[in-house]
Every structure is written in C-alpha cells, then in structure tokens.
Amino acid sequence: MTYGYVRVSSKEQNEDRQLIAMQELNIPKRNIIVEKQSGKDFNRPLYRRLVKKLKPNDLLYVKIIDRLGRNYDEIHSDMT
C-alpha cells in the first residue's frame, strides 16, 4: 500500500504544495493523511494512526523529511 503524509504547523499554513506532490505520485486521496499540527513531537493523532497502520513493504511518501518531525534521530527511531 502507498501512503502520503502532509503536515503543516498551523491552520493558517497552506498544504497545497504538498498535496500536489502526492497527487503527482498518484497516491489515492484516501491514503493521503493531512495534519495541521506542530512537528515539535510525535504526539499527533493522525500521524500515530498512520504509523500503526503501516505494514512491511508499505511505502510512505513525504514531500520534505521535516514534515515528519524536527529531530531526524527521533524520526528514525519512531519509524523503526
């Protein structure tokens, strides 16, 4: 299964650029998760739900790695 994760830090920010990138990858809309919440930690409900849903061989796209979080070590440990 292929998924896309789109995150902006606040409701005022626009996620369109990230959504366009996911659409260009032909990710089904139902598999694109959009979250409007800070990346300071991983206590984001939609992100947590997505990570639990991922299975071996699933593919997760993000436009820019910092959309997952601010700390790359934490991103790596959270995804493994």
Side-chain angles (χ1 to χ4, degrees), residues 18-78:
Q18 294 176 67
L19 284 171
I20 290 167
M22 298 300 150
Q23 292 165 353
E24 288 174 351
L25 293 167
N26 294 316
I27 299 171
K29 287 184 180 186
R30 68 181 179 279
N31 291 358
I32 299 173
I33 287 49
V34 178
E35 196 154 49
K36 294 188 177 196
Q37 193 166 345
S38 172
K40 67 181 170 109
D41 58 38
F42 291 98
N43 295 324
R44 292 174 256 140
L46 298 178
Y47 172 78
R48 298 272 23 119
R49 196 176 315 151
L50 173 62
V51 169
K52 287 180 183 178
K53 184 185 241 185
L54 293 173
K55 294 179 178 47
N57 297 318
D58 282 351
L59 187 58
L60 175 63
Y61 282 101
V62 292
K63 173 82 170 133
I64 303 169
I65 192 72
D66 70 356
R67 299 297 83 202
L68 288 178
R70 295 179 188 167
N71 182 313
Y72 298 134
D73 292 331
E74 286 180 14
I75 291 170
H76 183 264
S77 66
D78 194 66

Side-chain angles (χ1 to χ4, degrees), residues 4-31:
Y5 181 72
V6 171
R7 184 186 65 77
V8 291
S9 297
S10 69
K11 294 183 189 324
E12 294 79 33
Q13 290 181 320
N14 190 314
E15 68 275 3
D16 288 349
R17 185 177 56 140
Q18 294 176 67
L19 284 171
I20 290 167
M22 298 300 150
Q23 292 165 353
E24 288 174 351
L25 293 167
N26 294 316
I27 299 171
K29 287 184 180 186
R30 68 181 179 279
N31 291 358

